[in-house]
Amino acid sequence: MVPIRKDDLRKMVSQTTVETYEELTPQLIRLIEETRHNDALTEAQKQDEISLHMLGYVKSCTNEIIIEVLAEILGLED
């Protein structure tokens, strides 16, 4: 679908955002749990690692959202 109005584009991006965050959340949870149970790290190091996981998650989601929306608009296939 090629949006012809900003509102259409906004809806497309919002829907893709929800789908992408839901799809990638299990990976984030796994990384956080692994970090929390890593006895080789101090609590401060664990918090630093979790912060990095969160930043990476947001970056990955953002990239995937951009790619998916552009691919749909341009009619690109996998």
Side-chain angles (χ1 to χ4, degrees):
M1 171 190 130
V2 177
I4 56 173
R5 298 178 328 171
K6 274 186 163 180
D7 192 50
D8 296 334
L9 178 60
R10 189 172 287 111
K11 287 177 186 175
M12 179 188 289
V13 170
S14 294
Q15 181 177 352
T16 304
T17 298
V18 170
E19 292 168 1
T20 301
Y21 274 77
E22 287 176 353
E23 181 181 316
L24 295 179
T25 296
Q27 294 171 358
L28 173 64
I29 292 170
R30 181 183 50 77
L31 287 171
I32 289 172
E33 287 303 313
E34 287 174 5
T35 301
R36 283 188 178 151
H37 294 96
N38 186 343
D39 295 331
L41 300 175
T42 65
E43 285 304 313
Q45 289 171 324
K46 288 178 184 181
Q47 288 304 312
D48 289 346
E49 286 293 315
I50 289 171
S51 294
L52 288 174
H53 295 324
M54 295 292 292
L55 288 170
Y57 170 72
V58 171
K59 180 185 176 292
S60 294
C61 288
T62 302
N63 287 347
E64 192 61 29
I65 293 161
I66 292 168
I67 290 166
E68 287 299 317
V69 170
L70 286 175
E72 187 168 339
I73 290 170
L74 298 172
L76 304 176
E77 297 183 18
D78 289 331

